[in-house]
Amino acid sequence: MKPPASAHTCSTMLVPLLLLAALQVTIAQKNGIDIYSLTVDSKVSSRFAHTVITSRVVNKASTVQEATFQMELPKKAFITNFSMIIDGVTYPGDIKEKAAAQEQYSAAVARGESAGLVKATGRKTEKFQVSVSVAPAAKVTFQLVYEELLKRQLGVYELLLKVQPQQLVKHLQMDIHIFEPQGISFLETESTFMTNELADALTTVHNKTKAHIQFKPSLSQQQKSPEQQDTVLDGSFIVRYDVNRTLSGGSIQIENGYFVHYFAPEGLPTMPKNVVFVIDKSGSMSGKKIQQTREALIKILDDLRPSDQFNLVVFSKHATQWRPSLVAATEENVSKAKDYAASIQAHGGTNINDAMLMAVELLDNSNKEELLPSGSVSLIILLTDGDPTEGETNPAKIQKNVQDAISGQYSLFCLGFGFDVSYSFLEKLALDNGGLARRIYEDSDSALQLKDFYQEVANPLLTSVAFEYPINAVEMVTQEIFRLHFKGSEMVVAGKLRDQSPDVLSAKVNGQMYKQNVSFQMESNVAKQEEEFQSLKYIFHNFMERLWAYLTIQQLLEKIVSASDAERPGLEKQALGLSLNYSFVTPLTSMVVTKPEGQEQSQIAEKPKEDGTATAAPTSAPLQAPHVILPLPGQSVDRLCVDIRHSQGLVNLISDPDQGIEVTGQFEKTQFSWIEVTFKTPEVHVRVSPEHVVVTRNQRNFVYKWKETLFSVMPGLKMTMDKTGLLLLSSPDKVTIGLLPWEGPGAGLRLLLRDTDHFSSHVSGIFGQFYQDVLWKPAASEDTKGTLTVQGNDYPATRELKLDYQEGPPGTEISCWSVVL
């Protein structure tokens, strides 16, 4: 959704960027544990978000029960506090140096208990979870606090709240306060679960600089229906906003002796760029990865400007360049490059070293021949999904080779596809060369992720940006020199004012834009700024000092990645000191969470690393929905998740002549392109594709769009479809067949079966066979593996986590026996 246009004094319209603070609140109700209060209080003061989640629960059971507090917070956020209040006694979290925290917890580790309270999960979030035993009638208050400097990306600041309480809550309230001294240029809210009834529970009030969004639904508003006690609150609540900007592009804000300087100038022309795309086409990229890479690359090439120059380097065992040198992004060259991109096939090893040196050489040769336009910016964008296996395979040597070759002349951006890639290798490679690394998640929207990243770097506006402040005015300033500034992004510098600083803080920003140097000057009245922030009761005071500490730690952590062995200890000591002084859970600290006597005495909350499968598995990669989930009456296996891997073309899914039902499907690559259900009595054909539903009766076709409400009753058959898109075909004494256009992970058509005890003994088909005589053989001493024997064929089954699509999006996590056909 694009934000509404706002009036500006400059001639160029503000291009929105993205700022994210992602939060998911999930409290699992177990047995008699009742959540009677859940509040979220988020104060955003000049982009710095301070969020407090408080959950109050009571054990209504007559026995001891386990209460679980679970939520998701942004990966860039630092937890600053967690506490539990049990029967009036507070059990606080204690943030310590990682080694000291681990020593305290060593006894529990020796007992084989899990030390991690925080796990990487999803693309942008980390999951925090704590469980505690609660006596009958006892109450527990959980409170978690985290802070984050919100980053502006792709034009919009976005605050995302995942609301999933999993039960009705008597007092549920979210309050979001935003204060932006530059002025709020637009504000909007969006929700995936909002109904007309819930809309009355949402109030939004804002003026020039302040906004207050409150969501406070009553119990009846939370209910799915008067007959159901289930909550309708299950999805995302989003607040989007941006701030006013001027041609000078700067805003200096001051609070309690600290300042922050935001810089995002308006109206600058985009600089021409010279970009070399380096694409991994090794064997591990085969299938969906290379297909999505081709798709993204074709779209990205379309976005090149006529003033840009580009080339493609593809590599597996060997590296190959598309053209001998960089070429202009003319319509003809782009068309030929797209044809070339469409032909890329995956096979062979992974020679990252040679591919990178070839890309640098292409830029070097153009530079020597003076073919790079004056005032242009040169970028290398690497996409790979694996570790180097060909040529030079030592990551440290590759990093040194690339850094020596680039020699500070070009910026390198590294995209790691999936979780097999060594992210730490790519991160150092990028940070050593003035760029950044980004993980591309292997999912149905991978091509869009690639294109979105390109959009972030597609429009360079300034190079060699340097911030200058009077030496008698400021001290302890964060990073002041930046290699590149892209359209829609925002540079942030923070620091401490000196005791005897001038009454007016002045600043100067120098940079190079297209074919000329440019300088921006601005100033801010210290006393006026101090008064403005101190007078606001709802902001989180001393936030600017914490913002400075947060930003300093983040930048030190980046420096540590690319530091030498001699430099690293000093940087780590500095980052650790700030983490402890300001009570931040960072990669260098841990939070020890204590519990009452008689329970597990302590657990550790640590900052997960963004690297490889060890950190992310099993929850980081999105769970996939199987092709079908089969209920098996009379079997010890509760549910069977079946995936098709080895069949293509027309497939007989279910055939039951006694029931007069036949289900067939066309399976292509990884999904069904269509599924057809044929009923003998009445004579009806229902054919579904991802686009629509076609019902054929009496030689007439009736076409319905998915998610249109449908209620059709004919002799012997009832057809219904709700707003989620679930189409149900049912009849008395017959199996109920459901069809659904699933849009979650592993998107595609899905089949549902209910009332399966109505199948006759003559049922067949690749799904129908599981309703014949099925023998279940669990493996010896194994509770996660077994064998299903169906009509003389053995199918290995593994207990796995899958995504249950049967209740509609977003799906729920289930444990089932997984079989691949």
Side-chain angles (χ1 to χ4, degrees), residues 300-597:
I300 287 169
L301 290 168
D302 257 339
D303 287 339
L304 289 170
R305 296 168 176 264
S307 58
D308 295 336
Q309 294 190 112
F310 74 103
N311 205 338
L312 304 172
V313 172
V314 294
F315 69 95
S316 51
K317 183 176 181 179
H318 302 288
T320 306
Q321 56 195 47
W322 171 58
R323 288 288 186 262
S325 61
L326 271 70
V327 298
T330 62
E331 188 175 339
E332 182 183 1
N333 285 337
V334 167
S335 177
K336 290 178 180 178
K338 286 161 63 178
D339 290 342
Y340 177 77
S343 70
I344 298 174
Q345 301 295 325
H347 57 83
T350 308
N351 191 335
I352 293 176
N353 187 76
D354 286 2
M356 287 303 306
L357 296 183
M358 180 178 287
V360 177
E361 187 178 11
L362 278 168
L363 289 170
D364 281 347
N365 289 339
S366 293
N367 205 4
K368 290 173 186 174
E369 296 171 18
E370 298 183 348
L371 298 176
L372 301 183
S374 174
S376 63
V377 174
S378 297
L379 311 175
I380 300 172
I381 299 178
L382 166 67
L383 171 67
T384 181
D385 78 329
D387 295 332
T389 61
E390 298 282 352
E392 178 56 71
T393 58
N394 183 323
K397 288 185 178 179
I398 296 173
Q399 288 161 345
K400 185 178 186 307
N401 291 344
V402 173
Q403 188 174 17
D404 289 347
I406 289 179
S407 192
Q409 297 181 89
Y410 322 121
S411 293
L412 169 61
F413 298 88
C414 298
L415 305 180
F417 206 135
F419 277 101
D420 294 332
V421 69
S422 173
Y423 188 82
S424 59
F425 163 66
L426 294 181
E427 184 179 35
K428 178 169 170 54
L429 200 61
L431 291 175
D432 281 348
N433 297 284
L436 55 85
R438 185 76 57 83
R439 189 185 294 283
I440 301 299
Y441 291 83
E442 193 173 349
D443 208 342
S444 58
D445 68 340
S446 297
L448 288 175
Q449 294 176 55
L450 288 166
K451 190 172 186 297
D452 284 348
F453 169 80
Y454 173 76
Q455 289 301 325
E456 289 183 43
V457 299
N459 298 292
L461 302 180
L462 291 170
T463 63
S464 304
V465 182
F467 289 68
E468 295 180 8
Y469 305 96
I471 194 167
N472 67 330
V474 304
E475 60 181 337
M476 297 196 306
V477 179
T478 58
Q479 180 181 340
E480 300 171 274
I481 298 175
F482 301 84
R483 183 179 290 196
L484 283 169
H485 171 61
F486 295 101
K487 187 176 184 179
S489 66
E490 185 172 60
M491 288 187 248
V492 184
V493 177
K496 185 179 186 298
L497 297 179
R498 293 189 183 275
D499 291 339
Q500 302 298 323
S501 64
D503 294 336
V504 175
L505 175 61
S506 60
K508 186 178 180 181
V509 183
N510 299 312
Q512 295 177 359
M513 56 183 286
Y514 183 47
K515 292 188 177 180
Q516 64 178 325
N517 295 329
V518 64
S519 181
F520 301 85
Q521 291 187 322
M522 59 219 69
E523 59 183 30
S524 185
N525 185 289
V526 175
K528 185 179 178 181
Q529 284 281 314
E530 291 275 14
E531 182 182 356
E532 184 172 21
F533 282 104
Q534 291 299 328
S535 64
L536 298 171
K537 295 180 180 179
Y538 63 80
I539 74 166
F540 176 55
H541 291 295
N542 294 328
F543 77 90
M544 211 163 282
E545 180 179 354
R546 297 187 65 80
L547 185 160
W548 164 81
Y550 172 96
L551 188 58
T552 302
I553 293 169
Q554 292 282 23
Q555 292 174 355
L556 285 169
L557 293 173
E558 285 192 358
K559 288 180 181 178
I560 289 168
V561 172
S562 54
S564 66
D565 292 341
E567 296 170 327
R568 192 171 295 115
L571 295 170
E572 288 179 346
K573 183 179 179 181
Q574 190 179 349
L576 173 62
L578 285 171
S579 300
L580 294 173
N581 287 343
Y582 290 91
S583 296
F584 286 137
V585 178
T586 71
L588 301 173
T589 57
S590 301
M591 181 172 64
V592 179
V593 176
T594 57
K595 295 185 180 182
E597 289 290 333

Side-chain angles (χ1 to χ4, degrees), residues 67-99:
T68 299
F69 175 87
Q70 178 180 302
M71 62 154 290
E72 293 190 17
L73 65 157
K75 285 184 177 180
K76 289 293 185 182
F78 290 154
I79 292 173
T80 66
N81 185 42
F82 174 76
S83 62
M84 294 181 289
I85 303 173
I86 305 173
D87 284 339
V89 180
T90 300
Y91 299 88
D94 188 10
I95 296 175
K96 299 186 174 187
E97 183 182 1
K98 191 179 288 288

Side-chain angles (χ1 to χ4, degrees), residues 254-266:
I254 300 164
E255 190 245 6
N256 202 27
Y258 284 80
F259 78 93
V260 62
H261 184 177
Y262 295 104
F263 182 70
E266 285 288 278

Side-chain angles (χ1 to χ4, degrees), residues 31-335:
N31 304 321
I33 297 295
D34 178 58
I35 309 163
Y36 61 88
S37 175
L38 176 61
T39 61
V40 179
D41 182 60
S42 189
K43 294 180 173 68
V44 183
S45 306
S46 292
R47 285 69 138 185
F48 194 65
H50 173 84
T51 302
V52 181
I53 299 93
T54 306
S55 173
R56 294 180 170 88
V57 306
V58 61
N59 180 10
K60 291 188 173 181
S62 58
T63 58
V64 173
Q65 300 294 332
E66 186 179 68
T68 299
F69 175 87
Q70 178 180 302
M71 62 154 290
E72 293 190 17
L73 65 157
K75 285 184 177 180
K76 289 293 185 182
F78 290 154
I79 292 173
T80 66
N81 185 42
F82 174 76
S83 62
M84 294 181 289
I85 303 173
I86 305 173
D87 284 339
V89 180
T90 300
Y91 299 88
D94 188 10
I95 296 175
K96 299 186 174 187
E97 183 182 1
K98 191 179 288 288
Q102 194 63 44
E103 184 179 343
Q104 179 174 336
Y105 193 53
S106 58
V109 173
R111 295 195 298 269
E113 296 163 350
S114 172
L117 296 179
V118 185
K119 306 289 186 194
T121 179
R123 301 179 184 181
K124 299 174 181 176
T125 58
E126 296 164 353
K127 183 163 66 176
F128 177 91
Q129 179 173 310
V130 170
S131 297
V132 63
S133 297
V134 184
K139 294 182 178 180
V140 180
T141 297
F142 299 100
Q143 187 172 87
L144 186 123
V145 184
Y146 72 82
E147 295 172 4
E148 180 189 20
L149 176 60
L150 302 173
K151 186 180 180 183
R152 188 171 181 255
Q153 288 182 309
L154 297 178
V156 177
Y157 295 106
E158 182 172 287
L159 183 67
L160 168 64
L161 305 175
K162 288 279 189 176
V163 186
Q164 295 175 310
Q166 297 188 0
Q167 61 169 278
L168 300 177
V169 179
K170 185 177 180 180
H171 175 227
L172 191 152
Q173 182 169 332
M174 290 188 287
D175 284 281
I176 301 156
H177 289 277
I178 300 171
F179 174 59
E180 292 290 350
Q182 287 177 248
I184 298 171
S185 62
F186 80 88
L187 178 77
E188 64 184 24
T189 62
E190 180 182 306
S191 170
T192 61
F193 57 78
M194 196 66 68
T195 62
N196 289 332
E197 292 77 17
L198 277 172
D200 295 334
L202 175 67
T203 57
T204 301
V205 179
H206 76 98
N207 58 23
K208 182 180 177 182
T209 59
K210 293 178 285 188
H212 178 210
I213 299 99
Q214 184 180 81
F215 181 60
K216 190 178 179 180
S218 65
L219 277 172
S220 60
Q221 287 174 317
Q222 295 174 46
Q223 285 180 257
K224 285 186 176 179
S225 69
E227 297 79 26
Q228 292 179 290
Q229 291 300 304
D230 294 334
T231 179
V232 73
L233 302 181
D234 186 2
S236 300
F237 182 82
I238 301 165
V239 179
R240 295 190 181 96
Y241 77 94
D242 200 3
V243 300
N244 296 323
R245 303 182 191 281
T246 63
L247 288 172
S248 67
S251 173
I252 301 174
Q253 296 161 25
I254 300 164
E255 190 245 6
N256 202 27
Y258 284 80
F259 78 93
V260 62
H261 184 177
Y262 295 104
F263 182 70
E266 285 288 278
L268 302 183
T270 297
M271 303 174 74
K273 60 183 179 292
N274 318 296
V275 57
V276 180
F277 299 96
V278 184
I279 307 299
D280 185 347
K281 63 165 188 172
S282 60
S284 58
M285 287 283 291
S286 61
K288 198 169 186 178
K289 284 183 184 178
I290 200 67
Q291 175 189 338
Q292 291 174 321
T293 300
R294 289 194 298 259
E295 177 187 335
L297 196 53
I298 288 168
K299 290 179 180 177
I300 287 169
L301 290 168
D302 257 339
D303 287 339
L304 289 170
R305 296 168 176 264
S307 58
D308 295 336
Q309 294 190 112
F310 74 103
N311 205 338
L312 304 172
V313 172
V314 294
F315 69 95
S316 51
K317 183 176 181 179
H318 302 288
T320 306
Q321 56 195 47
W322 171 58
R323 288 288 186 262
S325 61
L326 271 70
V327 298
T330 62
E331 188 175 339
E332 182 183 1
N333 285 337
V334 167
S335 177

Side-chain angles (χ1 to χ4, degrees), residues 654-666:
I654 299 169
S655 180
D656 191 337
D658 294 7
Q659 286 267 300
I661 295 174
E662 187 168 337
V663 184
T664 56
Q666 181 75 20

